[in-house]
Amino acid sequence: MIVKLTKTMPMLFTGAAAAAIAVAPISIADPPPPPCVNADGTPCADVGTVGPGGATVDIPGGPEGAVGPGGATVDIPGGPEAAVGPGGATGAVPGGPGGTAGPEGATGCIPNVGCATVAP
């Protein structure tokens, strides 16, 4: 009986060591990141895309924008809007100033003040 135990003990220790090594990566792995939650408690969703032609973002109830080879746009609900491209740029604040500039010149308006145009 003693002979049989002495021959099987190395196999038992080898099996225990293999199990400990196999479980070790699980015990030291980083915990998964917390789930993404918006400020109102709803789960986060994919809000943008990126690809060779550019990128877009659209946050529900929030800002949206796009950028690509032809230029860029941004729109904040109830706030400023802007666009820029090879032909120039334009921007406006609701109820506030707005303007456009490009190769033909620039123009801008301020409510209750007036508008101005500048030639190239």
Side-chain angles (χ1 to χ4, degrees):
M1 181 80 172
I2 294 177
V3 172
K4 287 184 181 179
L5 282 177
T6 58
K7 289 183 180 181
T8 59
M9 285 301 262
M11 288 192 308
L12 289 174
F13 283 121
T14 304
I21 291 170
V23 175
I26 297 170
S27 64
I28 61 171
D30 291 334
C36 179
V37 180
N38 293 322
D40 64 359
T42 59
C44 297
D46 291 334
V47 296
T49 59
V50 176
T56 63
V57 65
D58 185 4
I59 299 172
E64 59 185 48
V67 63
T73 63
V74 66
D75 180 17
I76 300 173
E81 298 177 0
V84 63
T90 185
V93 176
T100 302
E104 302 84 37
T107 212
C109 293
I110 299 175
N112 301 320
V113 174
C115 297
T117 301
V118 177

